[in-house]
Amino acid sequence: MLMKFLTNLISLFYPDLCIICGNNLVEGEQFLCLHCLHKIPKTFYHLRDSNPAEQRLRGKIPYEKISSFLYFEKGGETQKMIHQIKYKGNKKFARWLGELMAEDIKKSTFFNDIDYIVPVPSHKKRIRQRGFNQAEELAKGISQTTNIPINTDCLQKTGSNISQTRKGVYERWINNQYVFSLKDEHLFSGKHILLIDDVMTTGATLESCAQCITTCNNTKISILTLAITR
């Protein structure tokens, strides 16, 4: 009783706010108010054949299925959520978003036959700056919901490429060459790997990761990102 009273008292003076609209959250709401939760721009790509996420990587890598959960537009709801993770260090929110998209997508067959969830790795320097790898936190939320194990030990980022925010397609591709490697090629052999990342732009980072993984024997690759740019 005392603990609940103190929690309510703290909430009275320091209320939790919706990450998108900034309004106070009420009991039962977490991170997003119900109004904003219902209007986040979902793609429903996991229900579509030949969706735009697949088209972005078609002919570049072999894949089983590719999807993105939300549309990303400058100044939109998704950008505010990504900003909260990348620049505000909201680790719990990243994991919650992983759970949210997994709950939606697991109603389909998208997660069928996946052996390992593998987040796109960050360089150690970037993890020290941010405190965590956002792709890994998304993956933890997905794993929690689907019970598919995460593997963060095999695929590693060996180079430290510079920010890609203002780079074009070719520059992004060059920037990602040879920065990923595998610690143990046998670990992924014969497995179906689900690569996880936060935002798909040109797909250069995911392409580089997938090319690295395809050096394993008889490996299948699927890809899921939280968002995709229009």
Side-chain angles (χ1 to χ4, degrees):
M1 288 292 291
L2 178 59
M3 198 54 143
K4 186 175 181 180
F5 172 76
L6 290 174
T7 301
N8 290 338
L9 188 64
I10 291 170
S11 298
L12 180 64
F13 291 100
Y14 302 99
D16 291 327
L17 305 178
C18 174
I19 284 167
I20 293 177
C21 69
N23 290 334
N24 292 353
L25 297 179
V26 300
E27 189 173 351
E29 295 178 338
Q30 190 176 10
F31 299 112
L32 303 178
C33 68
L34 285 178
H35 175 73
C36 288
L37 181 61
H38 288 147
K39 71 172 187 176
I40 57 175
K42 296 180 183 180
T43 66
F44 299 102
Y45 283 175
H46 60 287
L47 301 177
R48 293 170 53 184
D49 293 328
S50 188
N51 66 63
E54 288 184 356
Q55 292 165 13
R56 208 162 287 191
L57 288 169
R58 182 169 296 153
K60 299 177 181 178
I61 57 168
Y63 63 82
E64 298 298 310
K65 43 202 169 186
I66 301 176
S67 187
S68 296
F69 183 53
L70 301 172
Y71 291 113
F72 181 100
E73 292 184 337
K74 190 173 182 181
E77 292 90 349
T78 304
Q79 185 181 38
K80 292 178 182 177
M81 292 190 285
I82 298 292
H83 189 275
Q84 182 72 204
I85 297 169
K86 281 191 169 185
Y87 305 109
K88 299 291 185 181
N90 198 331
K91 186 175 178 180
K92 290 182 179 179
F93 182 49
R95 192 175 299 192
W96 182 82
L97 283 173
E99 294 175 2
L100 181 70
M101 66 174 167
E103 282 291 347
D104 256 27
I105 294 172
K106 76 176 185 179
K107 298 168 188 174
S108 69
T109 60
F110 187 86
F111 293 118
N112 287 9
D113 305 321
I114 301 293
D115 293 298
Y116 291 123
I117 297 170
V118 177
V120 170
S122 286
H123 194 268
K124 291 179 181 178
K125 181 180 178 182
R126 182 59 60 86
I127 293 175
R128 283 197 300 269
Q129 291 172 342
R130 189 168 291 148
F132 61 95
N133 174 6
Q134 67 272 14
E136 185 173 340
E137 295 308 313
L138 290 168
K140 287 177 181 177
I142 295 168
S143 178
Q144 177 71 29
T145 303
T146 62
N147 293 316
I148 302 170
I150 298 175
N151 184 290
T152 58
D153 298 323
C154 192
L155 183 66
Q156 59 183 345
K157 192 166 189 179
T158 52
S160 182
N161 52 1
I162 58 177
S163 174
Q164 303 196 96
T165 304
R166 299 182 183 277
K167 291 185 178 295
V169 175
Y170 179 72
E171 289 173 306
R172 285 174 183 266
W173 182 79
I174 289 294
N175 197 36
N176 277 288
Q177 293 306 292
Y178 314 114
V179 296
F180 297 102
S181 66
L182 294 174
K183 289 184 181 180
D184 182 0
E185 292 183 6
H186 301 291
L187 186 61
F188 287 165
S189 294
K191 303 297 184 183
H192 187 174
I193 305 303
L194 178 62
L195 273 172
I196 301 295
D197 205 3
D198 53 358
V199 182
M200 182 189 294
T201 48
T202 64
T205 299
L206 291 160
E207 179 185 348
S208 186
C209 287
Q211 287 175 344
C212 185
I213 293 172
T214 54
T215 60
C216 302
N217 291 327
N218 196 30
T219 303
K220 295 188 291 185
I221 296 172
S222 291
I223 292 171
L224 175 62
T225 66
L226 174 64
I228 184 171
T229 55
R230 295 235 198 197

